[in-house]
Amino acid sequence: MLMNAVLVTGGAGFIGSHYVKELLQADDTARVTVLDALTYAGHLDNLSEAFLDPRLTFVHGSILDAALVDQLMASHTHVVHFAAESHVDRSLAGETLFAETNVLGTQILVNAASRHPIQRFVHISTDEVYGPLPEGTATEDDPLLPTVPYAATKAASDLIALSAYRTYGLPVCVTRSSNNFGPAQHPEKIVPLFSPACCAASRSPCTAAASTCATGSTSATTAPVSTWCSAAARPARSTTSAAERT
């Protein structure tokens, strides 16, 4: 087994690809394998110059392929698990896919990691698991109160990963960051969706509480509805509520 052999799931996605490139640049001892199904959100172009590094190996496959996952796990020391379905609107139209990828996929990875001497399993989650917050920020001790299928499946995957520490002693770390944005982000996300509209002073659709678009404030009680935000009239208020941001 190679030391510092890192298996990165979803490494051809927006955040995962940035991580892979940063890791290869920062650690000259790292050997990185990217496992990615290359769905609509994953593209080889996202890894671009990283393919010039001989330490990078790409495997086209799914985290739902238990045999493949187990095979890869046997030759790695670390796992960084980015692979997930991650868009609120898509989860409202296809809950089953989110459950399969986020929950079952994480379970398959955890099971495989528990059978091999993995030194660290990093599970990338989201602050969406805490649900909408009327004010302030969440802490690790706050309850998980997801309000949409995407957040619910991520909360479930968090608990699956954390339970592996108690059950198998798997060294698990869960991260719950807020929204990320930057180059190569899929245009369904809020920043790349709204930025061109704001520059053009046009309108863009959003799924948010009506009061959010009308007042610029978030609401924990108003049900999400399909509406429009006018970048020309309210450029600073073209945001979704906390429950619909990712």
Side-chain angles (χ1 to χ4, degrees):
M1 178 184 294
L2 293 172
M3 295 301 294
N4 296 324
V6 186
L7 175 62
V8 182
T9 71
F14 160 53
I15 304 177
S17 61
H18 282 280
Y19 170 78
V20 168
K21 289 184 281 190
E22 186 71 20
L23 176 60
L24 289 171
Q25 187 175 40
D27 185 353
D28 58 10
T29 69
R31 300 292 185 271
V32 180
T33 299
V34 169
L35 173 63
D36 200 297
L38 297 181
T39 62
Y40 78 98
H43 305 280
L44 293 179
D45 289 346
N46 288 344
L47 292 168
S48 57
E49 68 274 12
F51 279 115
L52 299 176
D53 195 318
R55 295 175 296 148
L56 174 64
T57 300
F58 178 80
V59 177
H60 184 195
S62 170
I63 59 174
L64 296 171
D65 186 338
L68 175 61
V69 167
D70 191 74
Q71 177 186 348
L72 292 173
M73 203 70 68
S75 58
H76 290 82
T77 58
H78 298 74
V79 178
V80 184
H81 176 31
F82 287 96
E85 295 290 339
S86 63
H87 188 53
V88 169
D89 287 352
R90 287 181 181 269
S91 76
L92 299 177
E95 298 92 337
T96 300
L97 177 60
F98 277 68
E100 289 175 346
T101 301
N102 298 353
V103 181
L104 180 57
T106 299
Q107 185 68 70
I108 288 173
L109 286 164
V110 165
N111 288 348
S114 300
R115 292 191 291 267
H116 301 283
I118 297 299
Q119 297 175 18
R120 178 71 66 182
F121 187 108
V122 181
H123 175 62
I124 309 299
S125 186
T126 171
D127 66 340
E128 299 286 347
V129 300
Y130 296 113
L133 300 175
E135 60 182 16
T137 58
T139 71
E140 292 184 3
D141 296 325
D142 286 338
L144 304 185
L145 296 171
T147 57
V148 292
Y150 158 59
T153 59
K154 288 300 291 183
S157 67
D158 288 7
L159 297 179
I160 287 172
L162 291 170
S163 71
Y165 170 74
R166 294 281 189 178
T167 305
Y168 307 112
L170 183 68
V172 170
C173 175
V174 173
T175 71
R176 292 172 178 156
S177 66
S178 58
N179 287 5
N180 294 271
F181 62 92
Q185 188 170 23
H186 194 277
E188 71 185 2
K189 305 299 184 180
I190 188 169
V191 172
L193 175 65
F194 276 71
S195 295
C198 289
C199 291
S202 60
R203 302 198 309 169
S204 294
C206 69
T207 303
S211 60
T212 300
C213 291
T215 66
S217 62
T218 60
S219 170
T221 58
T222 306
V225 295
S226 295
T227 186
W228 291 84
C229 289
S230 173
R234 297 184 297 273
R237 298 172 183 171
S238 297
T239 58
T240 56
S241 62
E244 289 82 40
R245 288 178 301 174
T246 299

